[in-house]
Amino acid sequence: MTKIYLDNAATTRPDAGCLEKAKIYLGDKFYNPSSMYGEGYDIRREIDKSRENILSCVARAEEFELIFTSCGTEADNQALFCGAKRGNVVTTIGEHPAVYNAALELKQRGVDVRIAPLLKDGTVNVDNLLSLVDEKTSIVSCMHVNNETGALNDIDGISALVKDKNPAALFHSDGVQAFGKIPYRLGKCVDMYTISAHKIGALKGTGALIKRKKISIKPYIYGGGQEKGMRSGTENVFGIKMFEFAALKRYSEISENYKRATDMFELLCSLLDPSFFKIIGERDMERRSPYVLCVSAPGVRGETILHEVSDKGLLIGSGSACSSNEKKRYSRVILAQGVSEAEADGILRISLSPETTSEEIEKCAKILNETVKFRLEMMK
Ligand code: PLP
């Protein structure tokens, strides 16, 4: 049985055309980009081309540079650990563990870490976040699109307000769930932006930290000095080329994809039975991504439904794939937006890709409606 895959916020199916094009970097073009002979030099130039192309999707090369990393998590860690100085660090309770747990580790090491709460729609409470920023704040990290709920923070507006209060504070945003999906270019107060390849049809194990050229941060990984000394380690050439091809493809059709995803999102919302499904967060696209829908079926466990629908050919998530390893019953992010424990227990995440069809959405809604209805009736 071919399953319907609607867990694209966890990872995406690698794009077949991009894989075909990138195959050469596993074969004939296998050389080490640091090698001194021509073959190595050519690969170095290819990596720089990828850097330029990926960066051009969201920023101007005059202002920003891009450091390839092993994943989005590493880029987030570099931003936090290398951007934080003495003083305090401000972040939000909605962050992915790649930022949140890095911030908790900074706290363990004695840094004053301040965490802003969320509003009911899952976006950060901006007034509260600003009240935490002062002249001693070294970095503020606030994600662009939330991986569990799809809530969209206005990072340009927030970063401008942060800089009004403290022009010296760095502003980082985790853009992993926004890159390649939300039409956006880095605003003038954003200093660092994290992206990851496997969320847009490329491979796991490649990410990048985009940083404003004029800000100076230290490397996170030391060694042979690759990436202009900012991230040592022999480059994952195949992963980087895949990232480039997938990014160029996504950005060549970003507006059409966004519109399609919005239609699919609306269709799904209209088909889920409102007598037992509650949509978590905003419907307004100004404040959310159409690629992630978080719903709750209070009274049934999300995890139970997830397994049952998987047996029926539907693959969805129950929150973030990473936090499922944390073995916590309720998601901190979901609770932080005022959702009750009963609702938090029934959380399901349905995440779309540009390829998602209306037939898939219809089947998904049918399977979910039937499964939850049956469970609730069994419990009567
Ligand atoms: N940040 C967000 C918002 C994510 O959704 C993820 C992955 O789920 C990450 C960071 C981590 O990215 P990676 O899997 O490349 O380490």
Side-chain angles (χ1 to χ4, degrees):
M1 161 175 49
T2 324
K3 294 197 172 183
I4 298 172
Y5 183 69
L6 292 177
D7 197 17
N8 291 283
T11 198
T12 49
R13 189 185 298 281
D15 182 278
C18 296
L19 262 181
E20 195 48 45
K21 261 170 78 185
K23 246 171 36 192
I24 193 166
Y25 300 95
L26 290 178
D28 288 352
K29 296 195 179 184
F30 69 90
Y31 304 98
N32 187 325
S34 295
S35 291
M36 305 285 274
Y37 35 81
E39 286 79 353
Y41 182 71
D42 286 347
I43 300 292
R44 156 122 349 272
R45 286 188 30 195
E46 296 250 19
I47 290 182
D48 285 338
K49 178 138 190 34
S50 303
R51 188 189 315 287
E52 212 177 278
N53 278 335
I54 299 171
L55 182 61
S56 72
C57 296
V58 285
R60 278 158 38 93
E62 292 78 17
E63 288 171 86
F64 287 91
E65 59 196 347
L66 182 149
I67 305 160
F68 284 115
T69 61
S70 70
C71 55
T73 300
E74 186 193 317
D76 280 341
N77 273 253
Q78 181 162 10
L80 269 273
F81 285 112
C82 308
K85 307 265 155 40
R86 267 192 290 273
N88 65 69
V89 168
V90 176
T91 187
T92 87
I93 186 120
E95 299 302 306
H96 185 275
V99 167
Y100 190 75
N101 288 341
L104 293 188
E105 176 57 25
L106 283 171
K107 190 171 178 180
Q108 286 283 319
R109 297 180 190 182
V111 176
D112 173 8
V113 173
R114 304 171 175 183
I115 299 184
L118 305 183
L119 299 174
K120 271 196 158 354
D121 65 6
T123 61
V124 67
N125 181 328
V126 180
D127 290 341
N128 194 292
L129 181 135
L130 287 175
S131 74
L132 303 175
V133 176
D134 61 25
E135 71 288 352
K136 291 203 176 124
T137 303
S138 58
I139 182 168
V140 175
S141 183
C142 173
M143 76 197 312
H144 197 180
V145 168
N146 186 278
N147 48 296
E148 294 186 48
T149 62
L152 172 77
N153 286 311
D154 167 20
I155 56 169
D156 285 351
I158 299 170
S159 56
L161 292 167
V162 165
K163 300 272 175 173
D164 271 353
K165 268 197 102 170
N166 177 354
L170 297 179
F171 188 90
H172 165 253
S173 183
D174 177 338
V176 168
Q177 296 291 347
F179 184 78
K181 298 173 186 164
I182 309 289
Y184 170 74
R185 292 185 69 77
L186 297 189
K188 61 179 192 309
C189 296
V190 175
D191 297 309
M192 289 187 277
Y193 195 67
T194 295
I195 61 179
S196 173
H198 72 110
K199 311 291 188 180
I200 59 158
L203 303 181
K204 296 156 202 69
T206 317
L209 181 65
I210 296 176
K211 73 172 262 302
R212 197 171 281 283
K213 279 180 174 165
K214 69 169 197 244
I215 68 152
S216 137
I217 60 161
K218 291 213 165 200
Y220 183 58
I221 292 184
Y222 291 83
Q226 289 89 345
E227 297 294 290
K228 292 195 194 138
M230 286 303 288
R231 201 284 179 183
S232 288
T234 304
E235 297 88 339
N236 173 1
V237 182
F238 177 58
I240 289 172
K241 292 313 283 185
M242 270 297 284
F243 197 4
E244 174 192 1
F245 299 149
L248 290 179
K249 182 168 177 197
R250 283 293 184 100
Y251 276 89
S252 70
E253 50 200 34
I254 195 159
S255 305
E256 300 91 284
N257 287 346
Y258 181 86
K259 192 178 170 311
R260 252 180 66 79
T262 306
D263 292 344
M264 294 302 122
F265 177 93
E266 296 295 354
L267 178 64
L268 183 55
C269 290
S270 71
L271 293 174
L272 289 174
D273 191 331
S275 55
F276 38 78
F277 277 115
K278 181 174 175 223
I279 291 166
I280 306 291
E282 259 308 318
R283 289 282 289 275
D284 174 7
M285 288 301 155
E286 291 286 304
R287 291 175 81 81
R288 65 160 310 109
S289 160
Y291 286 92
V292 182
L293 173 63
C294 179
V295 293
S296 165
V300 289
R301 285 205 71 185
E303 229 180 285
T304 312
I305 300 300
L306 182 144
H307 291 303
E308 285 187 19
V309 300
S310 152
D311 292 342
K312 296 177 184 170
L314 172 65
L315 299 178
I316 55 171
S318 70
S320 99
C322 305
S323 68
S324 64
N325 297 333
E326 287 180 10
K327 295 275 175 254
K328 299 224 174 82
R329 179 146 182 179
Y330 306 116
S331 149
R332 111 179 96 77
V333 178
I334 300 292
L335 292 182
Q337 60 187 79
V339 170
S340 68
E341 288 194 351
E343 283 170 3
D345 214 18
I347 287 290
L348 294 165
R349 179 183 70 176
I350 302 147
S351 47
L352 317 183
S353 88
E355 284 83 40
T356 304
T357 63
S358 51
E359 291 74 39
E360 287 177 318
I361 294 289
E362 280 156 15
K363 277 193 197 149
C364 161
K366 186 166 183 288
I367 294 173
L368 280 172
N369 286 340
E370 283 171 4
T371 309
V372 172
K373 190 166 182 219
F374 179 75
R375 273 277 134 224
L376 288 170
E377 271 165 13
M378 291 273 290
M379 286 158 64
K380 273 186 192 156

